[in-house]
Amino acid sequence: MTMPVGKGKGSWREPACFAACMLAATGWCAQQPAWRQPDPQVLPGLYSWSDTCNIYVLKDGDAAILIDLGDGTVLDRLNEIGVSRVEWVLFTHHHREQCQGFPRLKGSDVKTAAPAAERPFFESPTTFRKMKPTLDDAFSVYGASYVRPPVEPIPIDRALQCGDTFEWRGYRLRCLETPGHSPGGMTYLLDAGDRRLAFSGDLMVDGARMQTWFDSEWDYGYGKGLETLIASVERLAKDAPALLLPSHGPSVTDPAKQLAEYSRKLRDLLALYVRGYPVATVTDDEKDSFSTPTVVPGIHRVTPHLYKFRRPNESWNFSIVIADSGRALVHDCGLMSAQVLDRALAGMKEHLGLKQIDALIVSHAHGDHFLLGEHLRTKYGASVWTTDRVADQCEHPERFDRPAMIQTYRSGLEALAIDRRLKEGETIAWEGMRLQVDWMPGQTDAGCCLWLDLDGWRIAFTGDNLFGNPADPKQDGHEAVVARNGAIFEEGYAYAAEYLKKLQPDLLMGGHSFVMPRPAAFIERYARWSKEIVRSYRKLSPDDEYRYRFDPFWVRAHPYRASLVLGGSVEVQVVVRNFRAREQRHRIAICAPPGFEADPPVLEGMIGAASQAAFPVRLHAPADAAPGVRLVAFDLALDGERYGQWFDFILHVEEAARKP
Ligand SMILES: [Zn+2]
Ligand SMILES: [Zn+2]
């Protein structure tokens, strides 16, 4: 038995707690959505509706099953095509824009089916959001989650495996696993006459393009998600569908041609995407054929005043400039043990004239570069310096949804206090030398380059932005491409490349023990690569501005993790970016779990060309909420185009403080 659609007793729930999100559904679209029939000759019972995604309706008489649900608006319009009850909703994958309307089905007996591999995302969504992430959290890039589960749990009645057939009133849907856009995404194949239709979710959108990049970024630049996507595209191509019915945009009427083209474009991207040096096989000599041993075990001399660790098969972060006076500056310090560091520093005091460490300068916000920062401060009196932008993430990593933050390392260190916040572009006069720190994004936007002229060399400390052997013409040196590092190319590798071309260093001191002399041609190759990969992303982007599909942060909450007590409230800033060279109109509904309220519930306004703006939003928790983690989603529209609940942030409800 199923619940009837429409008004009256037993009808779909009116939008209640989702008022804000439903509000968002009206008046957003430039043109009113309407029913379409993707294949009226062969399959007259197939309809499609579009709101936050395409919803496909297979009907038989006045009954129907839905493939994906979108924001739920479809439920109010089914009567227009003679449907009075829905028996099943089949989800292609777990992304919120597929299923965000589910709260309207609560209490009905509409059944749900979803890929078995994604069942946990539907049923226990908050499991995938952590107040204290770790490097090896499942479905995360070093602690930053890449799954986008619903705000509220969705119980799944039937978990579908690859090869299963879902039968309903003579329709036979064959389940084909097509992960890559999401970890367990599924395509449903339907044979109608001699035509095969494929409900392909977000595997590909028309034009041989990728719905989003950030959903396929499953690891730290190794391309697992991308490779999985390519395999799925090629698997689906073998099934030779005649018509592709994707989750977004128009139907694909020439799937064989487009899937082949898509696979080619993805392979081109993969070739550019993986690191520009042999990360897995690089030898110690390739990392550093330049420095020479000193009497201190493990410590090598780079130039007369510059030293670093070099140990077989170790990638420690540490270099030190020792002035003639014996005062020293350390650049990055992490991954070796405190004992190893202590022994080396004792050796340098004995043999290399080291008297005192003035400061540790931190290259970027990843924890592995300052794991021993607190040790250097407490044991050696070093002051810790870095730029403002890096400092924010060192001091409050929990406020950011970023990979490899300090608290994800099993270090016992939750944050690192910064003693001196340097301005980007600031010069430091130190022991007769002139040092400069500049913004140098690349691998992450929260990074800086320290450079100085020393011992006849212009030396740039480039952190984790480029690595390799500059003498090998096959290497361009780029490090991992990770959108979750806040690394859109214009504020990442492409910027770094132009910066280094201007700086013209003679010697690059990379992180992880790399020393790269005479890098001019290497930097040229790096610059060329940064332009090429942007072209590759553009060819795959359904939006003429690729950054909306690449960057997972163009609407974000700061802080990303916000705590509040029962019955209490907390304010976050919602930061909205406009990547376009013209004004952008946004409408963002704040979708909080039942009982929680956002004030204001909807943000609406204009943002100037190529800029960003922040808007305060206060979240209120009900007095009877259970303690724990909640998800709050942003339902987005830009310039009238509806995106749905793309991004989210975490609310943590604390136990009420006990009265004494
Ligand atoms: Zn999706
Ligand atoms: Zn690193």
Side-chain angles (χ1 to χ4, degrees):
M1 209 204 87
T2 54
M3 302 287 278
V5 178
K7 301 271 182 258
K9 195 167 177 286
S11 65
W12 312 117
R13 284 159 68 109
E14 290 302 317
C17 53
F18 266 55
C21 303
M22 294 309 296
L23 233 171
T26 54
W28 272 16
C29 298
Q31 70 275 21
Q32 274 307 104
W35 286 106
R36 287 181 294 139
Q37 282 183 286
D39 203 1
Q41 268 78 50
V42 176
L43 212 58
L46 170 67
Y47 290 82
S48 77
W49 176 264
S50 184
D51 44 61
T52 56
C53 73
N54 293 334
I55 298 102
Y56 296 99
V57 179
L58 281 168
K59 71 175 271 219
D60 179 52
D62 65 348
I65 60 173
L66 308 184
I67 293 166
D68 290 326
L69 180 61
D71 72 3
T73 310
V74 67
L75 301 172
D76 302 323
R77 306 292 295 265
L78 285 167
N79 57 342
E80 294 167 13
I81 56 165
V83 170
S84 61
R85 61 186 203 279
V86 173
E87 296 187 355
W88 284 88
V89 179
L90 272 64
F91 293 109
T92 56
H93 62 295
H94 76 282
H95 288 154
R96 287 184 288 265
E97 54 277 23
Q98 269 41 54
C99 60
Q100 66 185 73
F102 183 78
R104 295 197 55 200
L105 289 179
K106 278 206 293 197
S108 77
D109 54 6
V110 176
K111 289 197 161 54
T112 55
E118 299 210 343
R119 185 173 205 159
F121 308 145
F122 287 94
E123 296 192 330
S124 356
T126 52
T127 315
F128 302 95
R129 291 294 180 275
K130 296 252 172 17
M131 286 303 282
K132 190 183 177 323
T134 63
L135 283 181
D136 42 18
D137 282 345
F139 304 106
S140 84
V141 181
Y142 292 157
S145 170
Y146 60 78
V147 292
R148 299 193 289 114
V151 169
E152 286 185 70
I154 299 177
I156 298 300
D157 297 296
R158 182 167 169 196
L160 299 165
Q161 306 279 359
C162 190
D164 281 359
T165 301
F166 183 93
E167 291 198 49
W168 182 78
R169 300 190 181 209
Y171 292 108
R172 299 182 78 241
L173 292 157
R174 185 156 60 82
C175 303
L176 180 71
E177 231 165 19
T178 47
H181 167 76
S182 75
M186 210 161 243
T187 292
Y188 300 115
L189 297 167
L190 176 65
D191 289 337
D194 57 357
R195 272 161 79 76
R196 175 167 293 162
L197 276 56
F199 300 96
S200 51
D202 281 337
L203 189 71
M204 179 183 86
V205 296
D206 190 38
R209 285 163 197 268
M210 198 175 197
Q211 166 64 4
T212 53
W213 161 257
F214 50 76
D215 287 312
S216 295
E217 188 185 271
W218 297 357
D219 58 23
Y220 209 79
Y222 296 95
K224 173 90 188 303
L226 191 48
E227 284 174 352
T228 306
L229 183 64
I230 293 168
S232 291
V233 169
E234 293 173 359
R235 187 177 313 132
L236 179 58
K238 284 206 187 88
D239 267 293
L243 183 67
L244 226 62
L245 299 162
S247 239
H248 293 92
S251 307
V252 177
T253 53
D254 53 349
K257 182 167 166 271
Q258 286 205 31
L259 288 169
E261 186 192 344
Y262 187 41
S263 155
R264 261 195 312 278
K265 287 202 275 187
L266 292 171
R267 284 183 182 282
D268 288 348
L269 174 62
L270 181 63
L272 290 165
Y273 176 79
V274 293
R275 288 169 177 76
Y277 65 99
V279 61
T281 56
V282 66
T283 62
D284 291 334
D285 281 338
E286 264 206 306
K287 283 164 75 167
D288 174 10
S289 60
F290 186 80
S291 71
T292 51
T294 66
V295 292
V296 182
I299 292 295
H300 276 224
R301 176 182 282 110
V302 184
T303 69
H305 293 89
L306 174 62
Y307 301 87
K308 57 162 289 227
F309 270 108
R310 180 175 161 165
R311 288 281 194 93
N313 307 313
E314 296 294 358
S315 296
W316 297 337
N317 290 310
F318 178 87
S319 43
I320 185 167
V321 176
I322 305 176
D324 292 332
S325 64
R327 301 172 81 108
L329 290 179
V330 171
H331 184 264
D332 286 350
C333 192
L335 294 179
M336 75 293 281
S337 72
Q339 291 90 318
V340 164
L341 178 66
D342 289 343
R343 267 200 303 277
L345 291 174
M348 286 186 257
K349 282 182 174 170
E350 198 180 332
H351 301 289
L352 304 177
L354 172 65
K355 292 203 176 86
Q356 164 193 334
I357 299 170
D358 285 351
L360 161 68
I361 301 179
V362 176
S363 67
H364 66 289
H366 292 156
D368 53 326
H369 291 257
F370 52 90
L371 284 164
L372 289 175
E374 198 54 54
H375 182 74
L376 277 185
R377 175 162 41 215
T378 46
K379 184 154 180 172
Y380 298 93
S383 170
V384 181
W385 303 351
T386 192
T387 55
D388 267 331
R389 202 185 306 237
V390 181
D392 287 342
Q393 294 185 25
C394 295
E395 294 193 322
H396 297 288
E398 77 289 352
R399 294 181 185 170
F400 298 84
D401 182 23
R402 295 284 184 103
M405 297 280 96
I406 183 71
Q407 86 279 34
T408 62
Y409 291 83
R410 280 185 211 86
S411 60
L413 208 58
E414 296 296 311
L416 181 69
I418 302 300
D419 301 303
R420 179 172 170 188
R421 283 175 170 251
L422 305 165
K423 297 278 162 250
E424 290 165 348
E426 184 172 339
T427 56
I428 303 158
W430 177 81
E431 296 300 294
M433 301 174 203
R434 181 181 163 280
L435 298 87
Q436 184 162 331
V437 273
D438 293 317
W439 182 40
M440 183 176 162
Q443 183 214 193
T444 162
D445 61 349
C448 61
C449 175
L450 171 77
W451 66 271
L452 75 168
D453 293 323
L454 178 67
D455 301 326
W457 297 79
R458 172 157 290 185
I459 302 173
F461 296 81
T462 46
D464 285 357
N465 283 337
L466 69 167
F467 293 124
N469 175 7
D472 180 351
K474 289 195 295 296
Q475 298 187 24
D476 61 47
H478 76 87
E479 172 54 8
V481 173
V482 179
R484 285 179 178 77
N485 274 327
I488 52 180
F489 295 91
E490 293 79 352
E491 294 158 23
Y493 289 116
Y495 183 101
E498 290 311 309
Y499 169 79
L500 288 174
K501 276 165 71 172
K502 275 196 209 93
L503 183 65
Q504 299 187 318
D506 308 306
L507 185 65
L508 301 178
M509 292 291 289
H512 301 282
S513 208
F514 277 83
V515 178
M516 297 163 280
R518 301 169 195 93
F522 189 52
I523 291 168
E524 280 299 332
R525 295 194 291 276
Y526 177 74
R528 243 188 337 265
W529 164 82
S530 73
K531 292 196 174 76
E532 250 175 88
I533 192 164
V534 170
R535 274 196 293 276
S536 186
Y537 276 113
R538 284 200 183 118
K539 279 185 204 157
L540 280 160
S541 168
D543 194 308
D544 55 8
E545 178 44 81
Y546 87 95
R547 288 176 284 183
Y548 289 102
R549 307 296 171 139
F550 180 84
D551 179 27
F553 303 131
W554 57 266
V555 175
R556 68 181 176 95
H558 190 76
Y560 176 72
R561 296 176 179 81
S563 290
L564 71 182
V565 294
L566 301 177
S569 73
V570 65
E571 187 175 287
V572 301
Q573 300 293 317
V574 177
V575 184
V576 186
R577 285 196 74 165
N578 176 4
F579 291 123
R580 301 186 207 282
R582 54 175 158 79
E583 264 197 327
Q584 164 187 296
R585 183 165 62 88
H586 64 269
R587 183 164 176 150
I588 300 165
I590 321 294
C591 304
F596 289 74
E597 273 170 31
D599 181 23
V602 177
L603 297 168
E604 200 171 7
M606 303 292 287
I607 296 189
S611 63
Q612 64 175 42
F615 308 94
V617 172
R618 183 160 284 277
L619 280 302
H620 298 266
D624 57 353
V629 164
R630 302 291 197 290
L631 248 141
V632 182
F634 296 121
D635 193 336
L636 315 176
L638 288 187
D639 298 326
E641 192 185 333
R642 186 81 184 284
Y643 291 77
Q645 293 180 7
W646 273 28
F647 306 124
D648 65 58
F649 67 101
I650 297 173
L651 274 187
H652 181 244
V653 182
E654 293 166 357
E655 301 271 5
R658 293 236 171 83
K659 296 226 170 79

